[in-house]
Every structure is written in structure tokens, then in C-alpha cells.
Amino acid sequence: MSKKIPEDLNSLEPDEKLKYEIAQELGLLDKVLEEGWRSLSSKETGRIGGMITRRKREDKNS
């Protein structure tokens, strides 16, 4: 059971929106939409998590 991305990304919580944006930047969004978040490898998941952490840290310091 895969979770479909909402038509309007603005309706998502900021953290969830960021997760989808990063998945798209990494070229993983199609895989997520077709097979769900569980289809990602631990390496892919870690990369998304690392980028989320980095962006939050940058936003906090700005």
C-alpha cells in the first residue's frame, strides 16, 4: 500500500513537504510514489534524512 503524494504540496506539514522535495531532487520521487517509502534502500533513506537535517540546521542558522 503506497501513500500517494497530495495534489497540493502546500497542504502537507513542512517536514513532510521537505521530504518529498528532497526525494524529487534525488530522483527517487517516482519510486516512492509507485512503491512507497518502504521501497527505498537504507542508503537512500539515510541520504534523505541527512539532507533534511542539513537543511533544518541551515534554516536555523539563517
Side-chain angles (χ1 to χ4, degrees):
M1 172 193 291
S2 65
K3 183 176 174 183
K4 296 294 180 195
I5 187 169
E7 298 268 337
D8 182 14
L9 280 176
N10 293 324
S11 68
L12 294 173
E13 295 293 320
D15 288 347
E16 194 74 10
K17 182 178 177 182
L18 181 59
K19 186 166 71 169
Y20 278 104
E21 289 173 357
I22 291 173
Q24 183 174 20
E25 289 173 21
L26 296 175
L28 299 171
L29 186 57
D30 289 337
K31 183 176 180 180
V32 168
L33 294 177
E34 291 173 15
E35 303 171 37
W37 291 104
R38 294 180 131 197
S39 67
L40 298 179
S41 69
S42 58
K43 182 177 180 180
E44 292 166 334
T45 303
R47 189 158 184 208
I48 290 171
M51 291 177 76
I52 289 172
T53 301
R54 185 179 324 125
R55 292 220 185 138
K56 285 184 176 182
R57 191 179 314 128
E58 289 171 355
D59 289 345
K60 186 178 179 180
N61 291 332
S62 321

